[in-house]
Structures are given as C-alpha cells and as structure tokens.
Amino acid sequence: MNMLLRSSFLAFLILGILQYFNAPANAQVTYGKNGMVVSDNVLASQVGIDIMKKGGNAIDASIATAFALAVTHPEAGNIGGGGFIVLMKANGEVTTFDFREKAPLNASPDMFLDTEGNLVENSNHQGLKAVGVPGTVAGLYLAHQRYGKLPWKDLVQPSVNLAIEGFPMPWGLYQVALNLAEWDESFDIMTNYFRNENGDIIQPGEIWRQPALGNTLSLIRDHGHDGFYKGPVADEIESYMKANGGLITKKDLEKYTAVERQPLKGSYKGFDIYSMPPPSSGGVALIEMMNLMELADLSSIEFNSTAYVHLVAEAMRRAFADRAEHLGDPDFNPEMPVDRLISKEFAQMRLENMDMTKASASDSSRFGQLYDGSSTTHFSVVDKDGNAVSLTYTLEHSYGVGMGSSKLGFIFNNEMGDFNPQPGITTSKGQIGSDPNQIVPEKRMLSSMTPTIVGKDGKPYLVIGSPGGRTIINTVFQTVLNVLEYNMRIDKAIEAMKIHHQWLPDEIRYERHLMSPDTRQALEKMGHKLRPVNNLGVLMGITYDPILKAYVGASESSSKEGAAVGY
Ligand code: DON
C-alpha cells in the first residue's frame, strides 16, 4: 500500500474507532443536511459518508458501503450473495439494479427431491448445491458504470483496508462469534472465522483482520467485475465447488450478468412509491397492499387498534396468496400479471370480499382465487443533490451456506432455498409449489426483498428497507404506512408494533409485548390465529423533513451494530 493510502487509512482507523465507541446508538434519530447513510454497521455507514465528502454521489457511497459491510457485517453483507438497488436520481428519474443470484447451469427442478419425489429436508439450504451464482459484485459494478462518479478503485479501497488492517471486534459480532464456535466442523470456513492466529476467539476491542478477504477485494478493486467472475477468484470458486459437491463452474460465473430494470411504481394519497419489480416479489406485494389501504381509508382507523391489525393482516393474506401463485423471474415468466396486481382496480376487487368483522381462510389449493371478487441486510443512502439509494442484499440465511474457500475469505449464499423446492406442492405450512418459481438453469429465484423509495414531487421523501425473509414485505409496508398515513417520525415508524401474515401458515405473527392483550383477544374472536415473535424487521430508514430542510435517519434497535450517520 502506498504511503498516502496508508496514512489516510490510519487516520480513518483512529477516527473510525473513536466513532465506533462514541457511535450514535441504534434507533436514535440522526439529522444531516448534506447526506446520510443508515446501515447495519456504523463503520460501513461512515465509509459511505467519507465517499460523499470526497465528492462521490449516493451510488458511489452505496457501493463503498456495500463492500465495507462484506467485511464488517459478514452475516449478510456480502460478495458471495446477491440483491437489489432502487435508485432515485436527483432529476426525479428512478431505476433499479437486479443482481439476484441465478440457478447454476447444472441445476434442475427436482434437484432437492428424493427418488419418491419428496423434499430431502434442508437440502435446499445446506451444502454447496444450495448456492446460487453470486450477483453482488456484478450489480455494484454495473451500477457504478451507469451512475458512479468517483473511480471504482476509490470505492473498494476502504473495504480492502478494513479487511487487511482490521477493526476492533464489536460486541454484537463477538456474540455471534461465541455461537459460531459451536458450529459443526464441516462448516470449515466458519470454525476459524472469528479466531486469531492462536486459535482463540477474537475478544471485544481486539483487532480482527481478514487477509484472504482483503486479497479477494484487492482483485475486485483492480479488475472490477472480472476480478470476481474471471481469473484467480473464479478458478478457486470452481475448484472449491468441485471438491465439495457444489455445482457452480467458471462457465456459470462467466455468464452471470446483472440487469438494470424499470422500477415498479405505485401511489398513495399523492406520494409516489417506487420499489423492486420481479424477481423480487416485494414491490408487487407492497403496492398491492398500499392500494388496499388507500381504498380502505385508514383516516378513521386508529394505529394498533383491532380494526387496524385485522385490515392489515387481511391485506397481507391476499398479497401473499397472489405472490405465491404468480411471481417468479420475469426473464422466464413473460406473462406474469404484474400490472394487474398493482392496479387500483385489482385492489378494489380484493377489498370487496374482505369481511371487516372476521378473518378469511387461507387455502393452499386455491391461492388468491378464494378472494376474487438470519440473513439479509438493508441500507439507505441520500446525498446533497437529492440522489437516493435503497439497497438490500443477502446471503439468504445468516452466514449463508456457512461454507466458502478459506483462500478467498468469503461465504457463499444458500439462495437456492428461495426457489419452490417441490413442483406442484403447496402446503399449509407455507411451502409453495407453483410454476413461476421452479428451478431452471440460469433462472433467478423469487425474493421478498423490498428496497423502496417514496417520492414527493420528484424528490426522495422516504428511503426504506429491511431484512427478514418474507416478513420484509410486511415490515416495509407497515413502516411506509406509519410515515405516510400516521405521520410518525422515522425512528418511531421503524420501532412501532409490526405484524406479519403470509397467507400460509394462516397466522398473525406479532411482536411480543407490543400488542395489547385486549386486541389479541378481540382478533382471536374474529377467527385469527396469533403467534408471538420477539421481533419483526431490522429497518434502516431515511426521511426528508421539508421544514428543517434536512434528512432524518434511524436504524432499528434490533440491529447489533447499526447506525445512521449524517453530515
Ligand atoms: O431474498 C429473499 O427474500 C430472502 N433470501 C431473504 C432472506 C432474509 O431476509 C433473511 N434475513 N433475515
């Protein structure tokens, strides 16, 4: 590393450490006039702010933050997974980037079934056959080519520094490290992941270095897209896959491309809602539910009342049935009725058969016809010119498949588990078997990630997203409602009581301690089944306050190391 880079890195590290231990607490509202990054890790948020201070725009900051999260938040920040970007440009135009993983060329619809056609338990989430062809580096590179301002190298360098020079182990990661020490030894990379040269678990405050990851990131810094999909990284991915029963080859890597797609656009009481189109189901379901809410008119329904929870749960039930029936990769399902699902007329039809006094039933054999007539991470970024980025990316489970070559230092996703594993079999437990999301070589698996930007008069008003599998759609939906309908400040909106209904299983999950016992009883009387969970969502949001003429950001308290950093 040359002297200049080294000294600026030292300054960065000292500042970073100071900021780390004086970091704004989670869920504490933060203000910024010129820009804001809200991510699952305070160092990664700071990397994005530093890029903006050097003249980078929101896309530059997002790329740098995404690579930094791959180092500082490895349970979900990644280069071995995939995700989506929604970008609103300063001129009000909106676009999206799809860098969702793809099924390898050697995949097949029945690859996770036994000879009798039954799903082999966990096979779609465990072992290297569960890995989809990673998309993250391709997506970030494409977004940079189209809309970046600073040189690519400057955006990757901070993460190279963080990996090679290391950073102090934070308490949140230390907690994870203690749990991982118990992991099965077959998860080779994971057993040593958080250990120092002596084999001891890195203690809180002790510097944690990841030299192999630093080397992989240096290749990406120097060679861009090809630094991952060709050359030594691709060679090692192929040989690791071959040696350990995986399917991905150099041909899969070479063929992988990210795609720029038109966003989905909806509206709610004068606000424009932009979200991710398929292969995410998030935007379709979000807009369908927002349309239902607009028609149902929440102005006379109090937040958190029985009527509110019932209405929201019934909207979720319907949107998730439609998701299960219709959605998959658009490149393989050209006939998907997306426009119809997000239309106001469709919402009217869905609303008409809603009974405001009792729960409807979820039927796995009929999808939506009945109603006719650990892990992902999200971050939100805005810059001084009014460019906004909403980025969610994932390894699917926390630490993905838990495997990866220790020569490369990163973990692979287990995203193949997001395909429908058993053609034709939809169960009351929530396994889906419809056609659009069956495994086909090079198809992208359906996602629930819902990176979203709400615009007002062509400017970003709310930038929001969350991890949480299928719950993502619903936690984003409720947060958007909390801001647009109930006028909550962003920190209150993301912390407020959330529920989750996903059609099947037919139950309302609610956040323990946040719903009153009276409401629960009243909902049960209406025929709802209720299940308490500790938490729903890890939302990262930014709003624009027109009176202060400033951005307001907050990260949800359930994030271990999250922080909004503004300037
Ligand atoms: O793309 C999806 O919908 C899932 N792979 C996301 C998984 C997830 O959010 C897990 N995180 N908490």
Side-chain angles (χ1 to χ4, degrees), residues 231-278:
V233 174
D235 291 345
E236 178 56 22
I237 292 176
E238 183 177 80
S239 51
Y240 181 76
M241 287 281 160
K242 235 185 222 157
N244 296 285
L247 300 182
I248 297 174
T249 62
K250 283 203 280 191
K251 194 158 181 209
D252 284 303
L253 295 167
E254 213 178 300
K255 287 192 82 180
Y256 186 89
T257 48
V259 198
E260 186 171 0
R261 296 188 193 275
Q262 287 283 319
L264 287 189
K265 185 177 180 202
S267 65
Y268 184 84
K269 298 189 176 175
F271 292 96
D272 297 315
I273 300 169
Y274 298 97
S275 194
M276 200 59 213

Side-chain angles (χ1 to χ4, degrees), residues 75-76 82 84 100-101 125 279-281 323 374-377 392-398 414-415 417-418 445-450 466-472 538:
E75 68 177 272
F84 304 110
R100 183 68 163 164
E101 299 93 325
H125 275 122
S280 181
S281 57
R323 168 193 188 275
S374 211
S375 184
T376 305
T377 185
T392 317
Y393 68 158
T394 186
L395 290 170
E396 163 61 351
H397 283 172
S398 209
N414 54 351
E415 220 75 59
D418 275 352
M445 56 294 282
L446 185 66
S447 172
S448 299
M449 291 187 280
T450 315
S466 176
R470 291 187 207 176
T471 71
I472 295 172
V538 187

Side-chain angles (χ1 to χ4, degrees), residues 288 291-293 295-296 311 314-315 318 344-358 360 370-373:
E288 182 179 338
N291 286 341
L292 268 164
M293 293 302 111
L295 289 167
L311 180 65
E314 290 300 315
R318 283 155 178 76
K344 303 277 182 200
E345 297 73 40
F346 186 77
Q348 183 62 46
M349 190 179 79
R350 283 280 180 265
L351 185 72
E352 270 160 16
N353 62 14
M354 235 187 236
D355 186 333
M356 295 306 163
T357 63
K358 72 175 203 294
S360 25
L370 187 63
Y371 318 111
D372 272 352

